[in-house]
Amino acid sequence: MITITSPQNARIKRLVRLRKRSERDSSQLTVIDGVKEIRCAMEAGAEIAELYVCEELLADGDAGLAAEAGARASESYMVSEEVFRKGAYGDRVEGLIAVVPIPMVELKDLSLGDCPLLLVIEGLEKPGNLGAVIRSADAAGVTGVIACEAKTDLFNPNAIRASIGTIFSVPVIRASSSETIGWLKNNGIHSIAATPNAETNHTDADFRRPTALVLGSEHHGLTDTWLEGADATIRIPMQGKADSLNLAMSATILAFEAARQRGW
């Protein structure tokens, strides 16, 4: 490994620039900051372009992962604690930072199997919400997550962290709403839109067929494109004063209801 001890090193400056979406978009690279996240990405087969290791910050038992990641990385660097803290994306410092290519997955790339279950999110605004949705999707056995008209980059480091790295094991696709509606129909996938104004409770809907569960942003809900284009609508019944739930919570409730119905 090459050793870096100066925070002014050109590599470290480039690592810091990856905090900005414009740099991630132009380079098609993103940052994984954290041991669990890097382990999950590696298990999913993610390539490692650059690995930064600070031995002083590694927890007991993580040296093996650092060695394995270093062997797979195209470039590996040993850095001082000062340098590592400058390059770390958030407040949590665990001694490992990986720079990886952003996966490029399209609708046509999805392996649907016999009875796919998809989550479709329209107008996604917060990367943390996306990460939480993906983490629940992974737990519930969801086939893939489709982000329509997303207002954030899908592989924002905050989304990676909130997903605990499962964003590399659950396919995540960016597509337009019209493209997604047509693709779902062409593949015989029943689309069900969640809206507070629906008459059918989510527990009364049939999720055992090939299904796409469609949710909108917390501020605006679903647009008419989906409310009119979906095959059915459902609601999550609520007794309190609030008329909606957090996006990730709604996605979790619906995904696990589908899992329950399917006997997973």
Side-chain angles (χ1 to χ4, degrees):
M1 284 188 179
I2 298 172
T3 300
I4 299 176
T5 58
S6 171
Q8 302 307 314
N9 181 278
R11 288 285 183 185
I12 302 306
K13 288 183 176 180
R14 192 182 75 165
L15 177 62
V16 171
R17 288 199 300 272
L18 284 173
R19 296 175 184 176
K20 297 181 179 179
R21 178 177 181 177
S22 58
E23 185 71 19
R24 295 192 295 271
D25 287 345
S26 63
S27 67
Q28 284 301 292
L29 297 169
T30 191
V31 178
I32 311 177
D33 193 345
V35 169
K36 289 183 179 179
E37 292 82 352
I38 291 174
R39 180 180 288 112
C40 190
M42 289 174 59
E43 290 173 351
E47 299 178 18
I48 301 178
E50 301 169 18
L51 182 73
Y52 297 86
V53 181
C54 178
E55 287 186 323
E56 294 87 346
L57 295 172
L58 283 176
D60 293 342
D62 290 338
L65 176 65
E68 182 183 352
R72 289 176 51 171
S74 298
E75 301 175 8
S76 298
Y77 303 94
M78 191 72 68
V79 300
S80 65
E81 183 172 343
E82 179 187 10
V83 170
F84 190 92
R85 290 185 180 278
K86 179 175 180 179
Y89 188 83
D91 295 332
R92 189 179 63 185
V93 287
E94 296 181 349
L96 287 179
I97 298 173
V99 175
V100 301
I102 294 174
M104 303 298 290
V105 184
E106 299 180 10
L107 289 172
K108 63 181 178 60
D109 299 323
L110 267 179
S111 178
L112 295 176
D114 295 331
C115 190
L117 174 64
L118 301 168
L119 282 173
V120 179
I121 310 297
E122 185 191 33
L124 180 75
E125 297 172 327
K126 300 176 181 178
N129 266 344
L130 173 62
V133 167
I134 293 169
R135 187 175 179 181
S136 293
D138 172 74
V142 169
T143 307
V145 176
I146 304 171
C148 297
E149 327 303 346
K151 295 177 174 62
T152 183
D153 55 325
L154 305 187
F155 282 82
N156 182 299
N158 283 327
I160 296 173
R161 174 164 288 187
S163 78
I164 316 296
T166 57
I167 195 169
F168 293 97
S169 58
V170 177
V172 184
I173 298 100
R174 180 188 293 271
S176 69
S177 293
S178 58
E179 176 187 10
T180 302
I181 289 171
W183 180 83
L184 292 173
K185 293 185 182 299
N186 289 339
N187 284 277
I189 300 173
H190 192 68
S191 58
I192 305 179
T195 172
N197 298 320
E199 296 182 359
T200 303
N201 288 344
H202 70 292
T203 51
D204 295 328
D206 184 1
F207 297 155
R208 294 170 294 177
R209 69 184 91 177
T211 300
L213 302 169
V214 187
L215 300 96
S217 68
E218 295 179 12
H219 291 299
H220 305 293
L222 289 170
T223 64
D224 290 342
T225 300
W226 277 107
L227 293 176
E228 297 171 2
D231 296 312
T233 58
I234 55 170
R235 69 185 181 98
I236 298 173
M238 300 175 61
Q239 297 185 12
K241 295 182 179 180
D243 62 355
S244 64
L245 295 171
N246 169 274
L247 170 62
M249 185 176 294
S250 297
T252 301
I253 290 171
L254 297 180
F256 275 87
E257 171 59 20
R260 183 193 69 80
Q261 291 187 18
R262 294 171 178 223
W264 294 350

